[in-house]
Amino acid sequence: MDKEKNRIAFIIGTRAELIKTFPVMLELQKTKTPYCFIHTGQHNLKDLCKKFGIKTPDISLSTEHEGSSRFNSKEIKAIMWNVSLLFKIKKELKKMKGLEYVLYHGDTMTTFTSALASSRLLNPFKKYKNVHLEAGLRSFSLREPFPEEISRIVAGIFSDVLLAPSKLSEWHLRNKRCKDIQVVGNTVVDSALHALDMAKKQKVKILSSGRFALITVHRHENLKSKKRLTQIVEILNSIPIKSYFAMHTNTRAKLEKFGLYDKLMQNKNIKILPPMDYPEFIAQIEKCSLIVCDGGSMQEESLIFGKPCVILRNATERQEGLETNFQFLTKLDVIKTKQKIQEYLSKDFKIREYTNPYGKKGVSKKIVGRLLK
């Protein structure tokens, strides 16, 4: 890689970050703008790079991890990895000549460390600007999602440019000293629509010809609590239609540990599946009748495709969707959630007209236009 020619550097660690960032990379490739891809190694990304038609990382800062979680809640190991990463990122950025922007996305450990490593605090004479994509989302609870809420706050403090996905997220940033705050929309719109096109070309098979629910559960604050997982299993067992649970290995391990996995297996409506690749998963979202999840991206995808969404959390940083009549924050209230599921699946339920707060197709093009102006 020729470091002399790269105006833009991306720092990415996880699959979720790459899924939401690859459309920006594709736009740069269309304009033949060189960029540097720095990979921290939180997840293995090579298969996704090939799938989405972007180059593999130019720089890898640690050995890629194959599983869904690099540390599985081993906090000390995670802290030490982040400290080492801080200096590795700083060192790599210092080598690059003519660098104008350093981009990182979202709320992961990589986001936290990248914001610090590329900040003026550690690089007082830097000429580039560090940019936080998807800035300003807030749950206003440090414990949920943890540690993601902290990562977003830190990125908001130490970034030169904050690219907000919505008007609400921009408002959350109103007290930041950073004056370069812009609402650009959320790149997940481009990611999901691109993936859907891929799925249609691949003729991905839909899970059911009838009505079905799509389920994921993976949040740390849910998995570590037997009480919360018990409530979640009771909610899932109440879904009256065929349901497909795309289950991560760490989710299954926790369900088995708490004696809850068999309760799901006994339900003939629920089928356990391994995690799907992104195009296949998006194809299922487009056709499903109900989303039940505790993650953030599925809340956004619910808005893209107009699908009722039951959120298995006490708080969410994607609050925009709660203004519609088809997203419900459960706070793990079993009785109210069962009632809401019945409402969403009723033949009388209609989604009221709404405008997606995260924008329309073309967000990534808008971002690239902003960076290259």
Side-chain angles (χ1 to χ4, degrees), residues 161-220:
V161 180
L162 300 173
L163 299 182
S166 69
K167 285 288 186 182
L168 179 60
S169 52
E170 179 194 36
W171 188 76
H172 291 157
L173 298 167
R174 66 197 183 283
N175 294 323
K176 293 289 178 287
R177 288 182 295 174
C178 173
K179 294 181 180 179
D180 199 345
I181 302 171
Q182 297 185 34
V183 178
V184 294
N186 198 315
T187 55
V188 72
V189 177
D190 294 337
S191 301
L193 295 178
H194 185 93
L196 183 61
D197 286 342
M198 291 175 65
K200 288 178 177 178
K201 289 175 183 176
Q202 295 166 11
K203 297 183 179 179
V204 167
K205 184 178 179 180
I206 303 304
L207 293 168
S208 173
S209 58
R211 304 176 81 201
F212 68 95
L214 198 59
I215 303 166
T216 65
V217 178
H218 67 274
R219 289 295 322 149
H220 175 65

Side-chain angles (χ1 to χ4, degrees), residues 263-303:
K263 291 187 177 181
L264 286 175
M265 293 297 291
Q266 290 165 10
N267 188 330
K268 294 181 180 179
N269 273 341
I270 296 178
K271 184 173 182 180
I272 309 297
L273 302 174
M276 293 172 253
D277 73 6
Y278 191 61
E280 182 183 3
F281 195 66
I282 287 297
Q284 311 309 329
I285 287 180
E286 194 217 8
K287 296 297 184 183
C288 76
S289 300
L290 179 70
I291 294 170
V292 183
C293 67
D294 62 359
S297 293
M298 287 183 76
Q299 295 172 54
E300 296 162 345
E301 290 150 359
S302 156
L303 291 166

Side-chain angles (χ1 to χ4, degrees), residues 106-109 111-112 132 137-139 141-155 218-221 313 317-318:
D107 56 16
T108 68
M109 288 190 296
T111 312
F112 177 99
H132 184 203
L137 271 64
R138 296 288 185 273
S139 69
S141 170
L142 294 180
R143 300 175 68 178
E144 190 159 345
F146 177 86
E148 284 84 346
E149 182 78 354
I150 296 171
S151 293
R152 289 188 179 276
I153 291 171
V154 168
H218 67 274
R219 289 295 322 149
H220 175 65
E221 52 269 20
R313 288 202 200 176
E317 65 281 7
R318 274 99 171 164

